[in-house]
Amino acid sequence: MARTVTWLHLSDLHACPKKNGWDSDTIIESLKNDLDKLKERYQPDLIFFTGDAAHGDRAECGALDEQNEVAALFFLGLLDLYPDLSADRFFLVPGNHDVDRDEVGDPMREWLENSKRDAGGIAEMLAQKDRNWRECMKRLHGYQKMLESLDLDHLNQDPDRLCYHQTVSIHGVVVGIAGLNSAWSCGRKEEKGKLWLGGEWQIKTLHNKVKSSDLTIALTHHPFGWFTPSEEKASKKRLQTSFDLHLHGHEHQGWFNVQEEDRRWNQKTHVL
């Protein structure tokens, strides 16, 4: 008997209090109306939001805390559309616009760009949560406060790294969800090809927590291509072989691609 898992995937809100809000912005209101109509036919079992809740620019949009408050209001309004969906079925990850760039100093920028950095050293830094890692994570304190204000404890299970894993059963299908933090090294200009994911640690650790699931989904803000060349290829391969689906935001383009050679994934999508 076929089993269906339905989800709603959104990304890149870029909340700006001086320009928009859940009740007044034309685009957001149109989205709300579309979702109202859509739910007559589809009721999501899961909601995914893959980063950039805030706009980030203080001069244009006001204080970052105010931007996060607008984003939180949007998320609450989104959940209100689906009263039968509990908050623990809502998943988000941080994006580069969620970073507090006032917390990104020149010494840390230079440290991240040092040619001596390699994927193994970055993975070790994540594993140990050393001083350099703690310095990097200061830029996401505002995002973490937003999670706390929304009581999304399932997304704050690793407050030192802001990545998480969750397993849920939907219509007899066990879905394993991994939220990866791809924003922790953001804070520079022209970042494509410069970011670190720490995929060797994040992907391996989170995959081990959900690998027995019927369907596994990885969430990041950034697609591959944005990470430093010394990590990008290996992490992309690791993620593709560890998870059935990868949902991301950032590039504001959506597509769905079935890789014919991926028999395991192809079989699941037809059986479930």
Side-chain angles (χ1 to χ4, degrees), residues 244-261:
D244 299 311
L245 288 169
H246 175 207
L247 304 181
H248 65 77
H250 192 62
E251 290 190 342
H252 305 185
Q253 296 177 348
W255 67 92
F256 184 76
N257 181 37
V258 177
Q259 300 181 40
E260 291 299 326
E261 68 273 15

PDB file of all heavy atoms in Angstrom, residues 244-261:
ATOM      1  N   ASP A 244      18.843  10.698   1.461  1.00  0.00           N
ATOM      2  CA  ASP A 244      18.025  10.509   0.269  1.00  0.00           C
ATOM      3  C   ASP A 244      17.694  11.820  -0.422  1.00  0.00           C
ATOM      4  O   ASP A 244      17.579  11.878  -1.648  1.00  0.00           O
ATOM      5  CB  ASP A 244      16.711   9.804   0.655  1.00  0.00           C
ATOM      6  CG  ASP A 244      16.958   8.436   1.254  1.00  0.00           C
ATOM      7  OD1 ASP A 244      17.729   7.666   0.655  1.00  0.00           O
ATOM      8  OD2 ASP A 244      16.391   8.135   2.321  1.00  0.00           O
ATOM      9  N   LEU A 245      17.525  12.885   0.364  1.00  0.00           N
ATOM     10  CA  LEU A 245      17.156  14.184  -0.184  1.00  0.00           C
ATOM     11  C   LEU A 245      17.960  15.289   0.485  1.00  0.00           C
ATOM     12  O   LEU A 245      18.270  15.205   1.683  1.00  0.00           O
ATOM     13  CB  LEU A 245      15.662  14.466   0.033  1.00  0.00           C
ATOM     14  CG  LEU A 245      14.655  13.667  -0.804  1.00  0.00           C
ATOM     15  CD1 LEU A 245      13.253  13.889  -0.261  1.00  0.00           C
ATOM     16  CD2 LEU A 245      14.713  14.083  -2.255  1.00  0.00           C
ATOM     17  N   HIS A 246      18.261  16.318  -0.287  1.00  0.00           N
ATOM     18  CA  HIS A 246      18.938  17.502   0.239  1.00  0.00           C
ATOM     19  C   HIS A 246      18.114  18.716  -0.158  1.00  0.00           C
ATOM     20  O   HIS A 246      17.921  18.998  -1.345  1.00  0.00           O
ATOM     21  CB  HIS A 246      20.351  17.604  -0.359  1.00  0.00           C
ATOM     22  CG  HIS A 246      21.085  18.857   0.026  1.00  0.00           C
ATOM     23  ND1 HIS A 246      22.073  19.428  -0.768  1.00  0.00           N
ATOM     24  CD2 HIS A 246      20.978  19.665   1.120  1.00  0.00           C
ATOM     25  CE1 HIS A 246      22.528  20.513  -0.175  1.00  0.00           C
ATOM     26  NE2 HIS A 246      21.894  20.685   0.964  1.00  0.00           N
ATOM     27  N   LEU A 247      17.602  19.448   0.835  1.00  0.00           N
ATOM     28  CA  LEU A 247      16.835  20.670   0.599  1.00  0.00           C
ATOM     29  C   LEU A 247      17.674  21.864   1.052  1.00  0.00           C
ATOM     30  O   LEU A 247      18.254  21.844   2.131  1.00  0.00           O
ATOM     31  CB  LEU A 247      15.517  20.644   1.381  1.00  0.00           C
ATOM     32  CG  LEU A 247      14.584  19.455   1.137  1.00  0.00           C
ATOM     33  CD1 LEU A 247      13.324  19.606   1.981  1.00  0.00           C
ATOM     34  CD2 LEU A 247      14.231  19.322  -0.336  1.00  0.00           C
ATOM     35  N   HIS A 248      17.718  22.908   0.229  1.00  0.00           N
ATOM     36  CA  HIS A 248      18.511  24.084   0.570  1.00  0.00           C
ATOM     37  C   HIS A 248      17.829  25.335   0.045  1.00  0.00           C
ATOM     38  O   HIS A 248      16.803  25.284  -0.636  1.00  0.00           O
ATOM     39  CB  HIS A 248      19.932  23.967  -0.005  1.00  0.00           C
ATOM     40  CG  HIS A 248      19.983  23.960  -1.511  1.00  0.00           C
ATOM     41  ND1 HIS A 248      19.850  25.091  -2.270  1.00  0.00           N
ATOM     42  CD2 HIS A 248      20.144  22.932  -2.392  1.00  0.00           C
ATOM     43  CE1 HIS A 248      19.928  24.788  -3.549  1.00  0.00           C
ATOM     44  NE2 HIS A 248      20.100  23.481  -3.657  1.00  0.00           N
ATOM     45  N   GLY A 249      18.410  26.475   0.370  1.00  0.00           N
ATOM     46  CA  GLY A 249      17.912  27.753  -0.106  1.00  0.00           C
ATOM     47  C   GLY A 249      19.015  28.529  -0.789  1.00  0.00           C
ATOM     48  O   GLY A 249      19.797  27.980  -1.560  1.00  0.00           O
ATOM     49  N   HIS A 250      19.098  29.820  -0.513  1.00  0.00           N
ATOM     50  CA  HIS A 250      20.178  30.722  -0.864  1.00  0.00           C
ATOM     51  C   HIS A 250      20.191  31.170  -2.323  1.00  0.00           C
ATOM     52  O   HIS A 250      20.266  32.357  -2.599  1.00  0.00           O
ATOM     53  CB  HIS A 250      21.536  30.116  -0.503  1.00  0.00           C
ATOM     54  CG  HIS A 250      22.664  31.111  -0.581  1.00  0.00           C
ATOM     55  ND1 HIS A 250      22.724  32.231   0.212  1.00  0.00           N
ATOM     56  CD2 HIS A 250      23.772  31.161  -1.375  1.00  0.00           C
ATOM     57  CE1 HIS A 250      23.823  32.923  -0.078  1.00  0.00           C
ATOM     58  NE2 HIS A 250      24.463  32.301  -1.043  1.00  0.00           N
ATOM     59  N   GLU A 251      20.134  30.274  -3.273  1.00  0.00           N
ATOM     60  CA  GLU A 251      20.258  30.675  -4.671  1.00  0.00           C
ATOM     61  C   GLU A 251      18.923  31.059  -5.291  1.00  0.00           C
ATOM     62  O   GLU A 251      18.875  31.460  -6.442  1.00  0.00           O
ATOM     63  CB  GLU A 251      20.934  29.570  -5.483  1.00  0.00           C
ATOM     64  CG  GLU A 251      22.408  29.410  -5.124  1.00  0.00           C
ATOM     65  CD  GLU A 251      23.161  28.497  -6.087  1.00  0.00           C
ATOM     66  OE1 GLU A 251      22.485  27.736  -6.808  1.00  0.00           O
ATOM     67  OE2 GLU A 251      24.401  28.563  -6.104  1.00  0.00           O
ATOM     68  N   HIS A 252      17.826  30.908  -4.532  1.00  0.00           N
ATOM     69  CA  HIS A 252      16.508  31.376  -4.956  1.00  0.00           C
ATOM     70  C   HIS A 252      16.056  30.708  -6.252  1.00  0.00           C
ATOM     71  O   HIS A 252      15.328  31.284  -7.045  1.00  0.00           O
ATOM     72  CB  HIS A 252      16.486  32.903  -5.115  1.00  0.00           C
ATOM     73  CG  HIS A 252      16.925  33.651  -3.900  1.00  0.00           C
ATOM     74  ND1 HIS A 252      16.884  35.023  -3.819  1.00  0.00           N
ATOM     75  CD2 HIS A 252      17.399  33.228  -2.701  1.00  0.00           C
ATOM     76  CE1 HIS A 252      17.329  35.414  -2.635  1.00  0.00           C
ATOM     77  NE2 HIS A 252      17.653  34.335  -1.949  1.00  0.00           N
ATOM     78  N   GLN A 253      16.508  29.499  -6.459  1.00  0.00           N
ATOM     79  CA  GLN A 253      16.085  28.703  -7.608  1.00  0.00           C
ATOM     80  C   GLN A 253      15.736  27.315  -7.101  1.00  0.00           C
ATOM     81  O   GLN A 253      16.452  26.750  -6.283  1.00  0.00           O
ATOM     82  CB  GLN A 253      17.196  28.595  -8.659  1.00  0.00           C
ATOM     83  CG  GLN A 253      17.575  29.918  -9.293  1.00  0.00           C
ATOM     84  CD  GLN A 253      18.723  29.762 -10.266  1.00  0.00           C
ATOM     85  OE1 GLN A 253      19.368  28.730 -10.316  1.00  0.00           O
ATOM     86  NE2 GLN A 253      18.975  30.803 -11.057  1.00  0.00           N
ATOM     87  N   GLY A 254      14.627  26.774  -7.588  1.00  0.00           N
ATOM     88  CA  GLY A 254      14.212  25.457  -7.138  1.00  0.00           C
ATOM     89  C   GLY A 254      14.210  24.451  -8.274  1.00  0.00           C
ATOM     90  O   GLY A 254      13.898  24.775  -9.411  1.00  0.00           O
ATOM     91  N   TRP A 255      14.598  23.255  -7.961  1.00  0.00           N
ATOM     92  CA  TRP A 255      14.501  22.173  -8.935  1.00  0.00           C
ATOM     93  C   TRP A 255      14.453  20.856  -8.186  1.00  0.00           C
ATOM     94  O   TRP A 255      14.776  20.765  -7.006  1.00  0.00           O
ATOM     95  CB  TRP A 255      15.686  22.188  -9.919  1.00  0.00           C
ATOM     96  CG  TRP A 255      17.012  21.866  -9.299  1.00  0.00           C
ATOM     97  CD1 TRP A 255      17.616  20.662  -9.183  1.00  0.00           C
ATOM     98  CD2 TRP A 255      17.908  22.810  -8.683  1.00  0.00           C
ATOM     99  NE1 TRP A 255      18.822  20.786  -8.542  1.00  0.00           N
ATOM    100  CE2 TRP A 255      19.022  22.071  -8.235  1.00  0.00           C
ATOM    101  CE3 TRP A 255      17.861  24.191  -8.496  1.00  0.00           C
ATOM    102  CZ2 TRP A 255      20.094  22.693  -7.586  1.00  0.00           C
ATOM    103  CZ3 TRP A 255      18.931  24.788  -7.858  1.00  0.00           C
ATOM    104  CH2 TRP A 255      20.028  24.042  -7.415  1.00  0.00           C
ATOM    105  N   PHE A 256      14.035  19.846  -8.896  1.00  0.00           N
ATOM    106  CA  PHE A 256      13.940  18.505  -8.301  1.00  0.00           C
ATOM    107  C   PHE A 256      14.574  17.545  -9.286  1.00  0.00           C
ATOM    108  O   PHE A 256      14.165  17.482 -10.443  1.00  0.00           O
ATOM    109  CB  PHE A 256      12.476  18.131  -8.064  1.00  0.00           C
ATOM    110  CG  PHE A 256      12.296  16.806  -7.372  1.00  0.00           C
ATOM    111  CD1 PHE A 256      12.530  16.685  -6.022  1.00  0.00           C
ATOM    112  CD2 PHE A 256      11.901  15.687  -8.084  1.00  0.00           C
ATOM    113  CE1 PHE A 256      12.367  15.476  -5.368  1.00  0.00           C
ATOM    114  CE2 PHE A 256      11.735  14.473  -7.439  1.00  0.00           C
ATOM    115  CZ  PHE A 256      11.972  14.365  -6.085  1.00  0.00           C
ATOM    116  N   ASN A 257      15.587  16.827  -8.858  1.00  0.00           N
ATOM    117  CA  ASN A 257      16.352  15.989  -9.758  1.00  0.00           C
ATOM    118  C   ASN A 257      16.469  14.575  -9.211  1.00  0.00           C
ATOM    119  O   ASN A 257      16.917  14.378  -8.085  1.00  0.00           O
ATOM    120  CB  ASN A 257      17.763  16.580  -9.951  1.00  0.00           C
ATOM    121  CG  ASN A 257      18.606  15.747 -10.904  1.00  0.00           C
ATOM    122  OD1 ASN A 257      18.088  15.209 -11.880  1.00  0.00           O
ATOM    123  ND2 ASN A 257      19.885  15.651 -10.622  1.00  0.00           N
ATOM    124  N   VAL A 258      16.026  13.592  -9.994  1.00  0.00           N
ATOM    125  CA  VAL A 258      16.193  12.182  -9.639  1.00  0.00           C
ATOM    126  C   VAL A 258      17.416  11.655 -10.369  1.00  0.00           C
ATOM    127  O   VAL A 258      17.488  11.706 -11.594  1.00  0.00           O
ATOM    128  CB  VAL A 258      14.957  11.351 -10.027  1.00  0.00           C
ATOM    129  CG1 VAL A 258      15.195   9.882  -9.700  1.00  0.00           C
ATOM    130  CG2 VAL A 258      13.727  11.849  -9.294  1.00  0.00           C
ATOM    131  N   GLN A 259      18.383  11.184  -9.622  1.00  0.00           N
ATOM    132  CA  GLN A 259      19.562  10.608 -10.239  1.00  0.00           C
ATOM    133  C   GLN A 259      19.277   9.147 -10.570  1.00  0.00           C
ATOM    134  O   GLN A 259      19.034   8.327  -9.696  1.00  0.00           O
ATOM    135  CB  GLN A 259      20.762  10.712  -9.289  1.00  0.00           C
ATOM    136  CG  GLN A 259      21.105  12.156  -8.921  1.00  0.00           C
ATOM    137  CD  GLN A 259      22.301  12.239  -8.009  1.00  0.00           C
ATOM    138  OE1 GLN A 259      23.272  11.506  -8.170  1.00  0.00           O
ATOM    139  NE2 GLN A 259      22.243  13.132  -7.041  1.00  0.00           N
ATOM    140  N   GLU A 260      19.320   8.831 -11.838  1.00  0.00           N
ATOM    141  CA  GLU A 260      18.935   7.493 -12.291  1.00  0.00           C
ATOM    142  C   GLU A 260      19.806   6.404 -11.683  1.00  0.00           C
ATOM    143  O   GLU A 260      19.375   5.294 -11.452  1.00  0.00           O
ATOM    144  CB  GLU A 260      19.003   7.425 -13.824  1.00  0.00           C
ATOM    145  CG  GLU A 260      17.935   8.252 -14.518  1.00  0.00           C
ATOM    146  CD  GLU A 260      16.534   7.789 -14.149  1.00  0.00           C
ATOM    147  OE1 GLU A 260      16.329   6.584 -13.936  1.00  0.00           O
ATOM    148  OE2 GLU A 260      15.643   8.646 -14.067  1.00  0.00           O
ATOM    149  N   GLU A 261      21.068   6.766 -11.423  1.00  0.00           N
ATOM    150  CA  GLU A 261      21.961   5.740 -10.890  1.00  0.00           C
ATOM    151  C   GLU A 261      21.711   5.459  -9.419  1.00  0.00           C
ATOM    152  O   GLU A 261      22.226   4.502  -8.867  1.00  0.00           O
ATOM    153  CB  GLU A 261      23.430   6.162 -11.092  1.00  0.00           C
ATOM    154  CG  GLU A 261      23.868   7.357 -10.246  1.00  0.00           C
ATOM    155  CD  GLU A 261      23.579   8.689 -10.920  1.00  0.00           C
ATOM    156  OE1 GLU A 261      22.798   8.700 -11.886  1.00  0.00           O
ATOM    157  OE2 GLU A 261      24.139   9.710 -10.474  1.00  0.00           O
TER     158      GLU A 261
END
